[in-house]
Amino acid sequence: MDVFDILDRLVAFPSVAGKPNGDIAGWIEAHLAEQGAKVTLLPGPEGDRCNLFATIGPADVPGYILSGHMDVVPASEPQWSSAPFALRRDGERLYGRGTTDMKGFLAAALAAVPALVRLRLARPIHLAFSYDEEIGCRGVPHLIARLPELCAKPLGVIVGEPSGMRAVRGHKGKAAARVVINGRSGHSSRPDLGLNAIHAMSDVLSAAVSEAERLTHGPSDPTFEPAYCSLQAGVIAGGQSVNIIPDSCTLDLEARAIPGIDPAGLLTPVKARAEALAEQGYVVEWKLVSAYPALSLPQDSALAALLGELTGGAPLAAVSYGTEAGLYQGSGLDAIICGPGDIGRAHKPDEYVLARELAACQQMIEALGARCAA
Ligand SMILES: [Zn+2]
């Protein structure tokens, strides 16, 4: 199967994040086993979805991980020109949900496997394909935790998120949290008998706004745009009617951190203000929904130099989106981003990848294989 056949098969699985993924993982497992790779499915704690790890070459020697996610965002936008889960080719463009983010990378890696197998690698190349990346990198931590039993400590991780095949050394970290304030309902004419959850939430909201302002004067890193850490309230919901005391209010927050700063820690002052509401009788629930650390691979690292040679261009310092690379780096592995497609085409109707981008990616992986050969 060539890269287009494989992409066609991958796109046909509507592997939307947050759902069981046995179909796509099972197909990739069978396909890789047929090519002679050693494949392991790693079920997550949810019980109905799994990560996949495969090795070509000797697992007990340090090698490289090619990392991608099998899940995609939903494709319910009415603007799609054709069925999102059916690959459509129009000249250079291959349309379908996930073509850019990031089944194109998975397809290029899978298409390179027969060549890697033929090379009789002295250093292994591993494929690490995760689930539920699109809802806060929930799957990959379970894969990272299993790495020590699966292979010798890798020399580096290449995360194939869409970067136009330009290597990228950095991104900010991110944390998202949901706070729910529960008060007491009643008729609005008797506010003395109720506990207004929306009024209480205004405390939390103003804490978020003042933290956001404070961060603009905080630590900064000129690699990023903006250079400082940031925080925002993204969704607020509560109440039923103007004459009912609202008994519940929900606020979703996120924070983005430059390297060296814990993104979840940026939310701590807001959390403290929410928890203080308990003194007034409110019941406060705070949940950290997702978090991943920033990525910051030094310019003079061996992995950055390797990718510079493989792609023919110096790695970019940073991009604005986040990836699993921060989690790999957090576990003590060097990680870098490099993949086909453009992030500007992701999470949109008529998402596409270019045929030449897939070819360039497959070529890069085969060139990496040549370096890993005996
Ligand atoms: Zn992605």
Side-chain angles (χ1 to χ4, degrees), residues 129-302:
F129 294 171
S130 68
Y131 66 90
D132 288 357
E133 188 272 351
E134 295 288 4
I135 49 175
C137 297
R138 291 194 199 170
V140 78
H142 307 298
L143 187 156
I144 291 173
R146 299 280 302 274
L147 281 180
E149 59 191 270
L150 292 164
C151 61
K153 189 183 173 188
L155 300 169
V157 182
I158 301 170
V159 177
E161 288 283 352
S163 70
M165 289 309 296
R166 182 91 188 261
V168 181
R169 297 186 289 106
H171 62 62
K172 285 184 179 177
K174 182 178 134 175
R178 167 166 288 183
V179 55
V180 183
I181 307 289
N182 296 293
R184 189 166 55 246
S185 192
H187 195 283
S188 57
S189 63
R190 292 301 306 273
D192 51 315
L193 300 179
L195 281 172
N196 189 312
I198 294 178
H199 289 191
M201 188 63 90
S202 70
D203 257 26
V204 186
L205 189 57
S206 61
V209 173
S210 64
E211 272 310 298
E213 157 60 19
R214 207 177 60 80
L215 288 172
T216 64
H217 311 294
S220 66
D221 180 333
T223 313
F224 299 96
E225 191 84 66
Y228 47 82
C229 298
S230 64
L231 187 159
Q232 82 144 3
V235 180
I236 189 163
Q240 299 116 287
S241 167
V242 74
N243 58 359
I244 299 173
I245 298 169
D247 62 351
S248 174
C249 186
T250 302
L251 179 69
D252 289 347
L253 299 153
E254 68 149 52
R256 292 179 184 256
I258 58 175
I261 292 181
D262 170 28
L266 295 174
L267 296 169
T268 304
V270 186
K271 184 177 183 221
R273 189 81 74 89
E275 285 171 347
L277 291 165
E279 286 161 28
Q280 299 168 41
Y282 294 95
V283 176
V284 179
E285 299 161 35
W286 177 278
K287 190 178 174 224
L288 187 65
V289 179
S290 68
Y292 58 79
L295 170 70
S296 175
L297 180 71
Q299 196 164 8
D300 60 359
S301 63

Side-chain angles (χ1 to χ4, degrees), residues 4 88-95 352-356:
F4 306 115
R88 175 171 66 92
R89 183 160 185 177
D90 184 0
E92 265 289 289
R93 294 185 178 194
L94 295 127
Y95 291 95
Y352 68 92
V353 71
L354 299 174
R356 63 170 171 271

Side-chain angles (χ1 to χ4, degrees), residues 69 101-102 133-134 161-162 347:
H69 58 81
D101 187 10
M102 59 182 289
E133 188 272 351
E134 295 288 4
E161 288 283 352
H347 300 201

